[in-house]
Amino acid sequence: MPEILPDVDLVVVGADALGPRRLMSTAGTSAIAAEARPLGSLLCACLRRQGPPRSAVRAGGGGGLLDGRYEATDLGLVTAVVTERGVLDPREAAGLAEDREVSPALLASFADGGL
């Protein structure tokens, strides 16, 4: 992926859950976001309506990695979040997340206290 990012203006990724500081997405998204940011590539995260699969929530590990397939990505690396309410900047998305109840199982799966 690093070899093609310098030629990319916009990276679009999926996201399974949104928190006030991070979003949960497929493992590897954080690395792509971290590489895209200094290159000036925009990163847009499209939030799924139904949230993460139950299997992702059952086994949490340190560093925000869930069962090896999902991880937390810092909203500071994201340019925009697409939700059912439209396209939001990361601050608006964080505010939306603060207004919603988060599953206790999902919160418990993150070693540092949640998304």
Side-chain angles (χ1 to χ4, degrees), residues 57-97:
V57 178
R58 66 180 155 75
L65 190 63
L66 299 173
D67 84 359
R69 296 181 296 170
Y70 299 90
E71 68 184 1
T73 300
D74 190 316
L75 279 175
L77 298 173
V78 177
T79 308
V81 180
V82 179
T83 74
E84 69 273 5
R85 294 191 182 181
V87 180
L88 308 176
D89 73 34
R91 288 179 302 259
E92 290 174 307
L96 176 67

Side-chain angles (χ1 to χ4, degrees), residues 18-35:
L18 175 66
R21 296 180 316 240
R22 293 175 277 176
L23 54 86
M24 188 179 89
S25 55
T26 305
T29 302
S30 286
I32 292 169
E35 290 183 31

